[in-house]
Amino acid sequence: MGLFLIAELYRIPVRRHVSRYFSSFDTNHLMLPEYLQGQPGTLTLGYLQEQLADQVEEIWDREDAKRSVTHLRRAG
């Protein structure tokens, strides 16, 4: 459950592997928030690391854009 908690904390889209026939009997599946239930696939550490890295890059890009605007205002 640790990877799912991290994904939920950082709002990373998660694809959970479940059986469409037996999901109603899977207690771990039923404990997940509704938006994590019933989506095909698997959450792996590699996928989670990649998604977190993408979020960090987006933050850096926004910070760089803010610095550029501030720099242009000072120069102008």
Side-chain angles (χ1 to χ4, degrees):
M1 287 292 290
L3 294 180
F4 286 97
L5 293 175
I6 293 169
E8 183 177 0
L9 177 65
Y10 291 98
R11 296 184 180 140
I12 293 174
V14 174
R15 295 178 298 165
R16 175 162 165 77
H17 180 72
V18 296
S19 168
R20 63 181 166 192
Y21 303 107
F22 299 106
S23 62
S24 62
F25 301 110
D26 182 355
T27 56
N28 289 330
H29 178 263
L30 295 173
M31 290 173 46
L32 290 171
E34 186 175 318
Y35 67 91
L36 294 180
Q37 294 182 12
Q39 300 174 355
T42 305
L43 177 63
T44 63
L45 180 59
Y47 169 78
L48 184 60
Q49 288 173 329
E50 183 179 318
Q51 294 299 311
L52 288 171
D54 289 346
Q55 286 189 5
V56 169
E57 287 179 359
E58 288 175 12
I59 292 168
W60 287 347
D61 289 344
R62 283 193 302 259
E63 288 179 357
D64 287 345
K66 286 180 184 176
R67 283 191 210 122
S68 296
V69 169
T70 304
H71 180 66
L72 291 174
R73 287 181 183 163
R74 289 182 185 169

